[in-house]
Amino acid sequence: MQNRRVFAFPLLTFVVAAAIPRSTIPLDGQSGEFVHFEGSQTNPIRLSADGTRLFAVNTANASLSVFDVSRPRFPDLIGEIPVGLEPVSVNPLSNDEAWVVNQLSDSISIVSVSRGIVIDTLRTGDEPMDVVFAGSDQAYVTVSGANAIIVSDTTSRAVRHVLPVFGGSPRALAVSPDGDLVYAAFALSGNGTTLIRSDLAPPQPPPTNGNLPPAPQVGKIVPADDPEWSSVINFQMPDNDVAVIATGSSPRIAGYYSGVGTINLGLAVHPENGDLFVANTEARNLIPFLTSLRGHWVDNRITRVAVATGRVTPFDLNPSIDYSTLPNPEARATALAQPTSVVFDPDGEFMYVAAFGTDRVARVDTGGNVLWFVEVSPPSGSGSNVDPRTKRGPRGLALAADGRYLYVLNRISNTISVVDTRAQGVVRELPVGADPTPAGVRIGRGFLYDAKLSGNGTGSCASCHVDGDVDRLAWDLGDPGGEMQIVRQGLRTFEFHPMKGPMTTQSLRGLAGLAPFHWRGDRANLQEFNGAFPALMGGSEVSDFNMLTYATFINTIRFPPNPNQNLDRSMPGAIGPGNPAAGQEAFLTVAETRVPDPRTCNSCHRANPGPGTSRVIIRGPDQALKVPHLRNMYQKDLFNRFAGRTIDGFGMDHDGHVSTFLDFFAADIFATYSRQQKLDLTAYMLSFDTGTAPAVGYSLTMNADNIDDGGVQTDWATLRQQAEAQDIELVANGTINGQVRRLIYRPSQDDYVIDQGPFASFSNADLQTLVEQGDTLTLMGRPLPLSETTQAAPDVSRLSGGRKPGH
């Protein structure tokens, strides 16, 4: 349901603002265990139009923090308001109304600052990322998972238009000076590369280690427009990096800009000429082998798009680094890695760029020259020093109208650094707000994002595992000079050649209990990835204790819900021409009879329930591979070489060569399956359970105008049922008799209790009456802790060979 109610508020005085109620309750509910999804902050901090209020999302606490900045140097926290799960962006429509974008909740929380509550919830579709306002009454929202822009009315909050875009994961938004255009950057846009599958690719070069046997036959990464492969590549792959939306009464996609960057996380418009400036990284995945990529697998850039001519000009933020020198502490002392946010000085002469990977905020002119930068790390992590445990992680920027003070939201420390741009230094650092993040999770997070763990400070694990997920690319991180690796699983022994060929980046979500790791299952545990720090990143291995800290953090990241499932965690009746329920039946019961050892899909891809993998290593024609999980298959359908045009160049399977599910089912092993069964299996895998119920994060705002709506009542009942099924913990935030309160639902009693203060309980009928009389409540499903019944990993032990280097 999309719940809408019209409110009109005057601008508030600071006397009123000072009375805003605060919620300092850690929002991890009664579980006692922190659960997170590593939300991808996009524009997490913004100022009100008059510059008197600063709005910042508190992703860890699922809340919005509001600061009085009438004294710009001394932000004063005046309110913390619960919103949806994993808030990643905020944009104030006025001093009193802010729109908060919740990535995990698939919603926008419309917040009233004066009332201290969410007054409305706008359902958006899968993984919204940013919102901007254009014209007199339009809000534009990027919906990353659906590859779409939705346009809503800011008064009625009704969705007026849905604009599909041809590009991967639209996130950051910006508006032209005249308001006639809105720009959306594709975060995972790719770089026009794709794969020539192994049976068509040329052989690998001979190993440089003469003791190695011949390398296996593998695929080859090539530009999709390479004329040498035109007889094989029969599809077009436009490299769309930024979408242009023409606003007005009938918004439309007016075009795209290409050649901007591979991972585009920040976007700003020049205040005078309207040119675009995009903070991005460019992947060098066309270059094979660790030895060629060591210390330099991405470039960190600002790209200028001249809107008058369409000319695209990238600027390297680290033009003077000698990548052949490793380690390179001099480079580490100045490097700007993984730019994520960019804002312009009011006169447009220069901009500020947040370097998320190296804890720096740089002033950069419009020619891409770095004028100076500010360290936001403490001394232990500043300069060439490396200290992931104290990493800040600057992710969002907001600049005062006079350009004097710059507010930097630090994702990892969950703080705001106040930068005096005249003094060129941090003058204050303050918490965003209440933070339930355990110290171990916060400290471990730094190891994923700290580019100073590389030899020259230019890249981190997150350069490819963007926000703990993927870059949708394949990389050939083989090592012609490496050694054979021998791994035993149970009674079977496998030999792995170091020249493994292209393999797609795997998500770091949902890894708890799924060892062994990587496509070949050649890593017994997460600690065995330590070798990537020297082999790929050109740095040094971290200590065993630090690697354990890192692994502990990674194991806490959960997969988001599958957007194709229903709110009650059931599968839809159909996805395209396929029936998911029939597909599940075939998955569990139909065995392939034309092979010596007939098995169902479920024999290897454990489901019902399960992660979709037995975690067993299986011999293949060229090299052994671990049975992969199926929990994010719904995210891998943007590569379609049969459709004529494709967004992604890599799809399913280890090297990304499988384009569609039907392409996968074309293998001889599926010969006994009918075409309809294959379509049903496709529908089932697209709705495969991720381990997180769809009701997690689902928000339902109830007010006097919609409480009797049938859809609202149905969703309310479903949320209660999901709490009874222990798929969620159901909470309610809003007002009770006009007072801001938080309630927790007790399934055993079918009632709600106030979680702080004198005990009071309310039945469903009680809440119905209170809302009818003028109270507003937002119900939301919160995640429960990870299951305690996670199976132990199969026995995987190394017999000989050193630590597997690289990725």
Side-chain angles (χ1 to χ4, degrees), residues 373-690:
F373 63 79
V374 172
E375 304 264 14
V376 297
S377 288
S380 62
S382 297
S384 62
N385 297 329
V386 184
D387 188 5
R389 290 172 168 268
T390 62
K391 183 170 175 56
R392 276 12 187 195
R395 191 65 185 238
L397 303 174
L399 183 65
D402 63 0
R404 172 70 184 271
Y405 290 102
L406 178 68
Y407 303 101
V408 183
L409 192 145
N410 301 309
R411 169 71 169 103
I412 297 173
S413 60
N414 206 20
T415 60
I416 295 173
S417 296
V418 181
V419 175
D420 185 331
T421 61
R422 295 181 189 172
Q424 300 180 16
V426 176
V427 294
R428 181 159 282 96
E429 183 178 7
L430 62 152
V432 171
D435 190 349
T437 310
V441 171
R442 186 184 301 109
I443 292 170
R445 180 178 275 131
F447 291 91
L448 172 63
Y449 297 109
D450 196 345
K452 290 185 180 181
L453 289 169
S454 67
N456 50 29
T458 61
S460 68
C461 300
S463 298
C464 299
H465 298 282
V466 182
D467 293 315
D469 199 20
V470 299
D471 57 6
R472 291 183 178 164
L473 297 176
W475 297 80
D476 187 345
L477 300 180
D479 184 2
E483 299 177 354
M484 295 296 292
Q485 180 186 12
I486 300 176
V487 170
R488 183 182 67 229
Q489 186 176 59
L491 299 177
R492 296 183 301 165
T493 299
F494 300 91
E495 278 194 296
F496 291 111
H497 199 289
M499 297 174 67
K500 56 189 175 181
M503 295 196 175
T504 58
T505 303
Q506 291 186 303
S507 179
L508 301 182
R509 297 169 170 174
L511 294 185
L514 286 192
F517 295 117
H518 220 263
W519 282 109
R520 301 195 299 185
D522 53 9
R523 305 297 179 88
N525 51 47
L526 287 169
Q527 287 88 322
E528 289 203 357
F529 286 92
N530 204 340
F533 288 112
L536 174 61
M537 296 170 60
S540 302
E541 288 193 358
V542 303
S543 69
D544 290 344
F545 180 75
N546 280 340
M547 199 63 201
L548 178 61
T549 301
Y550 186 14
T552 299
F553 158 70
I554 293 296
N555 276 323
T556 65
I557 306 175
R558 299 265 289 267
F559 270 109
N562 188 321
N564 293 323
Q565 290 184 341
N566 297 320
L567 182 59
D568 63 0
R569 210 169 188 172
S570 65
M571 293 180 293
I575 296 181
N579 182 316
Q584 182 182 46
E585 180 69 16
F587 189 94
L588 297 174
T589 64
V590 177
E592 173 52 63
T593 60
R594 296 179 57 183
V595 294
D597 183 18
R599 296 184 179 187
T600 66
C601 298
N602 191 60
S603 299
C604 296
H605 298 278
R606 300 274 175 82
N608 198 33
T613 176
S614 61
R615 297 167 288 171
V616 172
I617 301 171
I618 296 178
R619 301 186 192 279
D622 299 313
Q623 56 186 328
L625 295 167
K626 173 191 166 184
V627 175
H629 72 80
L630 301 179
R631 289 178 296 180
N632 63 345
M633 297 302 285
Y634 72 93
Q635 297 175 314
K636 295 189 174 185
D637 61 351
L638 295 182
F639 176 41
N640 193 340
R641 59 189 173 92
F642 303 111
R645 296 174 77 235
T646 182
I647 291 176
D648 281 355
F650 305 94
M652 307 165 202
D653 216 344
H654 69 286
D655 58 6
H657 78 275
V658 176
S659 174
T660 65
F661 286 103
L662 290 181
D663 187 18
F664 176 75
F665 292 134
D668 290 342
I669 193 173
F670 298 104
T672 59
Y673 290 80
S674 69
R675 176 175 173 79
Q676 186 57 50
Q677 283 178 317
K678 294 177 182 179
L679 292 171
D680 294 341
L681 281 167
T682 295
Y684 172 56
M685 284 196 277
L686 286 173
S687 54
F688 200 92
D689 197 281
T690 67

Side-chain angles (χ1 to χ4, degrees), residues 2-287:
Q2 293 172 357
N3 311 315
R4 307 180 189 99
R5 184 178 181 184
V6 179
F7 290 88
F9 295 104
L11 296 180
L12 303 180
T13 68
F14 296 117
V15 174
V16 175
I20 295 172
R22 299 189 187 187
S23 170
T24 57
I25 306 162
L27 298 183
D28 57 350
Q30 296 176 326
S31 68
E33 180 177 324
F34 182 74
V35 178
H36 81 293
F37 301 87
E38 204 58 14
S40 305
Q41 288 186 348
T42 303
N43 273 301
I45 187 167
R46 280 182 166 121
L47 284 158
S48 61
D50 66 359
T52 60
R53 282 192 175 168
L54 182 69
F55 296 83
V57 300
N58 188 338
T59 304
N61 199 49
S63 59
L64 173 69
S65 293
V66 185
F67 295 84
D68 177 357
V69 285
S70 54
R71 294 191 304 160
R73 188 184 178 104
F74 303 95
D76 180 26
L77 179 63
I78 58 175
E80 296 184 75
I81 303 168
V83 292
L85 292 187
E86 303 296 305
V88 292
S89 290
V90 60
N91 207 341
L93 185 62
S94 69
N95 272 26
D96 187 66
E97 181 175 320
W99 290 41
V100 180
V101 183
N102 308 303
Q103 181 182 4
L104 196 281
S105 289
D106 297 343
S107 68
I108 292 186
S109 298
I110 314 296
V111 172
S112 167
V113 178
S114 60
R115 296 177 64 185
I117 62 171
V118 170
I119 57 173
D120 208 348
T121 298
L122 173 64
R123 303 297 304 172
T124 62
D126 188 34
E127 298 198 3
M129 301 303 298
D130 200 10
V131 59
V132 294
F133 306 108
S136 59
D137 59 357
Q138 290 182 332
Y140 290 76
V141 181
T142 45
V143 187
S144 177
N147 291 321
I149 312 293
I150 64 172
V151 186
S152 296
D153 187 294
T154 56
T155 302
S156 69
R157 302 177 190 126
V159 175
R160 300 300 188 193
H161 307 275
V162 178
L163 307 176
V165 289
F166 199 79
S169 190
R171 293 190 190 176
L173 288 163
V175 183
S176 65
D178 59 10
D180 290 342
L181 299 173
V182 169
Y183 303 99
F186 293 111
L188 308 180
S189 71
N191 59 353
T193 57
T194 190
L195 188 91
I196 303 301
R197 67 176 194 252
S198 60
D199 59 327
L200 299 174
Q204 296 197 76
T208 57
N209 180 354
N211 295 322
L212 288 174
Q217 182 67 24
V218 298
K220 180 179 177 63
I221 301 171
V222 301
D225 58 0
D226 188 341
E228 181 180 350
W229 296 101
S230 59
S231 61
V232 176
I233 301 173
N234 54 7
F235 55 85
Q236 294 181 338
M237 188 168 65
D239 181 26
N240 294 336
D241 297 321
V242 177
V244 184
I245 303 105
T247 64
S249 58
S250 299
R252 60 183 177 83
I253 304 300
Y256 298 93
Y257 292 112
S258 301
V260 175
T262 306
I263 308 296
N264 305 293
L265 297 180
L267 179 64
V269 174
H270 191 282
E272 299 296 332
N273 59 33
D275 285 351
L276 300 180
F277 288 80
V278 185
N280 68 89
T281 59
E282 180 73 355
R284 306 178 76 234
N285 65 317
L286 280 171
I287 300 172

Side-chain angles (χ1 to χ4, degrees), residues 278-317:
V278 185
N280 68 89
T281 59
E282 180 73 355
R284 306 178 76 234
N285 65 317
L286 280 171
I287 300 172
F289 304 138
L290 278 171
T291 50
S292 300
L293 290 169
R294 184 170 181 259
H296 189 195
W297 68 101
V298 294
D299 288 316
N300 299 279
R301 314 188 314 184
I302 287 290
T303 298
R304 178 175 186 163
V305 180
V307 295
T309 63
R311 182 179 180 182
V312 176
T313 307
F315 302 111
D316 190 339
L317 289 172

Side-chain angles (χ1 to χ4, degrees), residues 700-703 732-736 743 767 771 775-779:
L700 178 68
T701 297
M702 304 187 301
N703 52 51
N733 288 287
T735 58
I736 297 293
L743 308 175
L767 295 189
V771 171
D775 280 322
T776 298
L777 285 172
T778 297
L779 298 163

